[in-house]
Amino acid sequence: MKKTIFITTIILMFLNISVISFSQTSDGVNVPVYISVPSYAAIDSVDKESLEYDFDLSSPDNKSEEVKVKIVANTSFKLYVEFDAEESSFNEQNQALFELLNSSFNYSVDSNDSAYGVIEKTVQIGFNFQQAVDNDPEIRELLLKIGEYKGKVGNFIFTVSPAV
């Protein structure tokens, strides 16, 4: 009987050791992994090379042109438009025209936010000559004295940057 109790005790101890060792081998560790994807937004193309405006003081026209801008982006972005008048092409006599162009430039961008990838934005750009001339009669007189001006007056600058 003592022999049976001894063997049973040894078997129970062996089973306990086996269960304890198997339970200890199933531990796991989680290691976090991070990835960083740089954001970008770039203008792929603009569908116009130049725009020509006719400004006649006898019947000022608020002309606006539609320009398609194709943008490649993997993030949300903002599209900015500026008018850069070429100051070097204006002399003292037509400085009023330079000031009129800078003060009357306006633009609007369509408000459709598309999914990431290639996005086409429609931009309306132009000059609100009528309002600028109506608000400042002196500019009207100066422009009438200058007479006709033919030549490049500036550039539209399109810029994209990731939205913050």
Side-chain angles (χ1 to χ4, degrees), residues 147-164:
E148 193 171 318
Y149 179 85
K150 293 242 183 228
K152 181 179 173 185
V153 292
N155 295 301
F156 288 111
I157 301 170
F158 295 86
T159 311
V160 288
S161 65
V164 194

Side-chain angles (χ1 to χ4, degrees), residues 53-61 129-130 133 140 144:
Y53 287 87
D54 291 320
F55 176 41
D56 182 359
L57 281 177
S58 62
S59 60
D61 183 18
F129 292 126
Q130 181 68 54
V133 170
R140 176 188 274 278
L144 286 170

Side-chain angles (χ1 to χ4, degrees), residues 38-49:
S39 63
Y40 64 85
I43 293 176
D44 184 47
S45 64
V46 177
D47 75 338
K48 296 205 188 277
E49 288 186 21

